[in-house]
Short mmCIF file of all heavy atoms in Angstrom, two decimals:
data_model
loop_
_atom_site.label_atom_id
_atom_site.label_comp_id
_atom_site.label_asym_id
_atom_site.label_seq_id
_atom_site.Cartn_x
_atom_site.Cartn_y
_atom_site.Cartn_z
N ALA A 29 89.44 143.88 -85.69
CA ALA A 29 89.09 145.30 -85.67
C ALA A 29 88.48 145.71 -84.33
O ALA A 29 88.82 146.77 -83.78
CB ALA A 29 88.12 145.59 -86.82
N SER A 37 90.63 152.54 -77.26
CA SER A 37 89.75 153.19 -76.28
C SER A 37 90.32 153.07 -74.87
O SER A 37 90.31 154.03 -74.09
CB SER A 37 88.36 152.54 -76.33
OG SER A 37 87.78 152.67 -77.61
N VAL A 39 93.47 152.70 -73.98
CA VAL A 39 94.67 153.55 -73.86
C VAL A 39 94.28 155.01 -73.69
O VAL A 39 94.85 155.74 -72.87
CB VAL A 39 95.59 153.35 -75.07
CG1 VAL A 39 96.70 154.39 -75.08
CG2 VAL A 39 96.18 151.95 -75.07
N VAL A 54 91.06 155.04 -86.88
CA VAL A 54 90.92 154.86 -88.32
C VAL A 54 91.52 153.52 -88.78
O VAL A 54 91.14 152.98 -89.81
CB VAL A 54 91.60 156.04 -89.06
CG1 VAL A 54 93.11 155.91 -89.00
CG2 VAL A 54 91.13 156.10 -90.51
N ALA A 56 91.04 150.64 -87.52
CA ALA A 56 90.11 149.52 -87.36
C ALA A 56 89.38 149.19 -88.66
O ALA A 56 89.40 148.03 -89.12
CB ALA A 56 89.14 149.79 -86.23
N ALA A 60 89.92 145.81 -91.09
CA ALA A 60 88.83 144.92 -91.48
C ALA A 60 88.70 144.82 -92.99
O ALA A 60 88.32 143.76 -93.52
CB ALA A 60 87.52 145.42 -90.87
N ALA A 130 85.54 123.91 -113.07
CA ALA A 130 85.23 122.56 -112.60
C ALA A 130 84.18 121.90 -113.48
O ALA A 130 84.28 120.71 -113.81
CB ALA A 130 84.75 122.61 -111.15
N THR A 172 85.88 99.53 -126.67
CA THR A 172 85.48 99.54 -128.07
C THR A 172 85.41 98.12 -128.61
O THR A 172 85.85 97.16 -127.95
CB THR A 172 86.47 100.36 -128.91
OG1 THR A 172 87.67 99.58 -129.10
CG2 THR A 172 86.82 101.67 -128.23
N GLY A 175 88.80 96.39 -128.38
CA GLY A 175 89.43 96.32 -127.08
C GLY A 175 89.30 97.64 -126.33
O GLY A 175 88.69 98.60 -126.81
N ARG A 286 102.84 91.59 -124.04
CA ARG A 286 101.86 90.64 -123.51
C ARG A 286 101.68 90.92 -122.02
O ARG A 286 102.64 90.95 -121.26
CB ARG A 286 102.36 89.21 -123.72
CG ARG A 286 101.39 88.14 -123.28
CD ARG A 286 100.12 88.17 -124.09
NE ARG A 286 99.15 87.18 -123.61
CZ ARG A 286 97.92 87.09 -124.05
NH1 ARG A 286 97.49 87.94 -124.97
NH2 ARG A 286 97.10 86.18 -123.59
N LEU A 320 102.36 102.99 -106.38
CA LEU A 320 101.28 102.58 -107.27
C LEU A 320 101.00 101.09 -107.27
O LEU A 320 99.99 100.66 -107.84
CB LEU A 320 101.61 103.01 -108.71
CG LEU A 320 101.84 104.50 -108.94
CD1 LEU A 320 102.37 104.73 -110.35
CD2 LEU A 320 100.56 105.28 -108.72
N VAL A 351 96.82 108.55 -115.54
CA VAL A 351 95.90 107.42 -115.72
C VAL A 351 96.64 106.17 -115.28
O VAL A 351 97.76 105.91 -115.74
CB VAL A 351 95.42 107.27 -117.17
CG1 VAL A 351 94.56 106.03 -117.32
CG2 VAL A 351 94.65 108.51 -117.61
#
Side-chain angles (χ1 to χ4, degrees):
S37 300
V39 170
V54 74
T172 75
R286 184 64 183 173
L320 302 171
V351 176

